[in-house]
Amino acid sequence: MIIKLKNKNIALLLCLILLCITSCLNITSDIKNWIEIENIEDINGKYHFLSDDGVKIYLPDTFKKYTSSEYLKLLDSLATKKSYAFESRAVETLRDLDGNFYIYFDEAFGITYTINTLPYFPFSKRDASQLLGIIRMNNEKITKKEDIKFTKITAKYTGNKKQQIFRSIYKVDYPDTDLSLFSTAYIISSNGKTVMIKLSSIYDINFDPFIQKMIL
């Protein structure tokens, strides 16, 4: 049962990794950018093979892979001291999970994509509902400590005996900086494998077409 959360409390991690890299944004004027794509047939990108896990992820061409140390160095050069401390803790926590951790960054749009490969666990719609409740409680804990506001945009579960997908999207507001981010999380179990994906951006992105092309 997923709510036992053997993997160091996955629900908390879904809330922690709010990686607000916005100072390096170089927004293009090209109307036909990947952010606006909604049809899986229209997307362009390339596969990245996570050889240690036998997983293929599909990302836009603008994403580049970083090691944890490279990414933290990038964070240090872009973020404020306060946000760096918060964000680096999140990265380090994800890195310490059972399984492997990968980071990709889109410099053109300032978007961060992380993926954890976790010990396999199938989960039900009821499990996902309870998980959402834990996410909400952890958001409330963070709000009490930090000047951050969370607003749920959507949370959805789809699944059967062979595959389960949980997706949540939260808008994250930082009142002291007038900054708003969108934090998207996926937990996917299929073919005896489980992955957790996090996407952080100032845009409300429909990343589902790229998720559909992923091969577990």
Side-chain angles (χ1 to χ4, degrees), residues 77-96:
S77 67
L78 299 174
T80 65
K81 185 176 181 179
K82 180 180 179 180
S83 60
Y84 172 78
F86 182 75
E87 294 155 5
S88 60
R89 285 197 304 270
V91 172
E92 290 167 358
T93 304
L94 286 173
R95 185 181 59 192
D96 290 341

Side-chain angles (χ1 to χ4, degrees), residues 123 156-159 163-167 186-189:
F123 57 99
K156 184 178 181 181
Y157 168 88
T158 56
Q163 177 176 276
Q164 305 89 43
I165 301 175
F166 172 78
R167 182 192 67 175
Y186 294 88
I187 297 179
I188 304 169
S189 288

Side-chain angles (χ1 to χ4, degrees), residues 107-126:
E107 187 175 351
F109 295 98
I111 300 170
T112 301
Y113 170 104
T114 67
I115 179 169
N116 285 82
T117 57
L118 304 171
Y120 174 65
F121 59 90
F123 57 99
S124 67
K125 184 175 182 179
R126 180 180 179 184

Side-chain angles (χ1 to χ4, degrees), residues 40 43 46-59 102 113 115-117 163 165 188-195 197 207-216:
I40 191 172
I43 69 174
K46 63 181 180 181
Y47 277 103
H48 299 261
F49 182 47
L50 312 183
S51 57
D52 290 341
D53 301 284
V55 173
K56 288 184 178 180
I57 59 173
Y58 193 78
L59 298 175
Y102 306 87
Y113 170 104
I115 179 169
N116 285 82
T117 57
Q163 177 176 276
I165 301 175
I188 304 169
S189 288
S190 180
N191 292 329
K193 300 173 184 177
T194 297
V195 298
I197 294 168
F207 206 71
D208 287 3
F210 294 93
I211 295 296
Q212 292 175 45
K213 291 179 73 72
M214 184 172 63
I215 301 173
L216 292 182

Side-chain angles (χ1 to χ4, degrees), residues 7-25:
N7 299 297
K8 299 183 183 178
N9 199 336
I10 293 171
L12 176 59
L13 297 170
L14 291 175
C15 306
L16 279 177
I17 190 161
L18 305 172
L19 305 174
C20 51
I21 303 179
T22 57
S23 58
C24 62
L25 288 179

